[in-house]
Amino acid sequence: MYARQQGMTLFSMLNIMVFVALVLLAMKIIPEYLENRTVKTILQDVTTDQDISSLGGTGIRQAIQKRLEVNNIRLPDGALRYSREGRQWNVDLTYERRVPVVYNMSVVISFSHHYEAVKP
């Protein structure tokens, strides 16, 4: 009597390998998106706070830098740009992160945001 053999097929094995690869990729990329969400929250809080906006450009810069330092976030040089139009301060954030995946392959994630703070 021969019992029917049971086990994984090649297709099942490939499905599991693809799933594991996607999970590992997600584990490398998700922290970058969480950091970006923290940066967005900082910029939204600073630009909507009337007390900070009333201090002008210097106050906005200092508040953003302090909050980035508290959260241990390091942005590339030139990622934050400030400009002024009348009573309105514009804060532009543009940067990209490179996440190494395998050997010489990397994933490039670009982030770009614009915020406006109106001086009362």
Side-chain angles (χ1 to χ4, degrees):
M1 286 193 222
Y2 292 103
R4 185 180 152 161
Q5 290 186 355
Q6 295 180 349
M8 275 191 172
T9 64
L10 180 62
F11 185 70
S12 298
M13 196 86 96
L14 287 175
N15 281 337
I16 290 173
M17 288 173 41
V18 167
F19 178 74
V20 168
L22 289 175
V23 168
L24 292 175
L25 181 63
M27 287 175 53
K28 290 185 174 212
I29 292 175
I30 288 175
E32 299 300 330
Y33 280 101
L34 293 177
E35 182 177 284
N36 180 56
R37 192 173 82 186
T38 303
V39 171
K40 280 175 43 177
T41 303
I42 289 170
L43 292 176
Q44 286 173 346
D45 291 346
V46 168
T47 55
T48 56
D49 189 354
Q50 293 297 320
D51 294 334
I52 295 173
S53 295
S54 65
L55 298 175
T58 305
I60 293 172
R61 283 188 189 101
Q62 289 175 351
I64 290 172
Q65 289 301 325
K66 284 180 186 178
R67 292 178 188 200
L68 288 174
E69 285 178 24
V70 166
N71 288 300
N72 196 26
I73 296 174
R74 291 177 181 82
L75 294 175
D77 293 336
L80 280 170
R81 292 195 178 106
Y82 305 92
S83 61
R84 183 177 178 186
E85 295 176 10
R87 291 180 22 195
Q88 176 177 316
W89 281 92
N90 297 319
V91 181
D92 293 307
L93 172 67
T94 305
Y95 69 102
E96 62 182 36
R97 296 282 192 201
R98 293 182 183 270
V99 179
V101 178
V102 178
Y103 186 54
N104 63 348
M105 288 181 12
S106 298
V107 174
V108 179
I109 307 168
S110 298
F111 300 105
S112 181
H113 305 289
H114 175 78
Y115 296 95
E116 299 172 351
V118 178
K119 187 174 180 179

